[in-house]
Amino acid sequence: MTTRTDSSSDVGVRPMVEADWPDVERIWAAGIATGDATFESSTSTWDVFAAGRPAAHRHVAVGGGTVLGWVACSPTSSGAVYAGVVEHSVYVAPDAQGRGVGGLLLDALVASTEAAGIWTVQSSIFLENEASLRLHLRHGFRVVGHRERVGRAAAGPAAGRWRDTLLVERRSDVVGS
């Protein structure tokens, strides 16, 4: 487990396992409720979640015996030329935000994806989700596009409204160099 001391406790990152699902789902649902984290309107089941996200790239941050956040990715395409490109999600529990948890999770994801030969990690971020954008920029991501009216929000305060997103990516300095 990777650890770092922050202002409130020791926080470690470890692989996500099925037993973490109730906490992962709770944190995901809290993000959905904000309306600024995802187009999704509800969480899925563990089986659906795990089937689309390789186990080697699913991580949780734990502090004080509690899951504080999670990160996972999925392939962007089944095409062989895109084998080194993934899209990720990172969620931090509301009471753990601002404590460095998101950064620890992104660092763990970058380490696991680079070890697997993945050269690009990307995500779409709602324009209004300034905290997520700042987090990603601090961890080596860059904005590569602004997608206008890419989809309608399904949940939260913006339900039914067309939303813009920023496409961010992080290119590996070690894979494909």
Side-chain angles (χ1 to χ4, degrees), residues 17-158:
V17 295
E18 186 174 359
D20 295 320
W21 180 245
D23 291 323
V24 168
E25 185 179 29
R26 174 184 49 79
I27 294 165
W28 190 10
I32 290 170
T34 69
D36 286 335
T38 181
F39 279 112
E40 299 293 330
S41 60
S42 63
T43 63
S44 65
T45 65
W46 166 256
D47 290 339
V48 170
F49 180 89
R53 296 165 180 89
H57 312 303
R58 295 190 309 247
H59 309 283
V60 291
V62 179
T66 302
V67 174
L68 304 174
W70 62 270
V71 66
C73 68
S74 57
T76 59
S77 171
S78 60
V81 299
Y82 296 108
V85 182
V86 296
E87 183 167 0
H88 79 285
S89 298
V90 58
Y91 285 81
V92 177
D95 60 348
Q97 292 174 1
R99 294 173 39 197
V101 172
L104 286 172
L105 289 164
L106 285 179
D107 290 346
L109 180 67
V110 167
S112 71
T113 55
E114 286 185 338
I118 293 170
W119 59 83
T120 300
V121 178
Q122 66 183 34
S123 190
S124 291
I125 300 173
F126 288 125
L127 297 180
E128 297 83 358
N129 196 341
E130 295 173 5
S132 183
L133 180 60
R134 284 192 307 271
L135 168 68
H136 284 83
L137 294 176
R138 279 194 312 266
H139 287 272
F141 287 77
R142 64 190 176 117
V143 175
V144 295
H146 178 171
R147 300 171 71 196
E148 296 178 5
R149 297 174 46 94
V150 71
R152 288 184 192 258

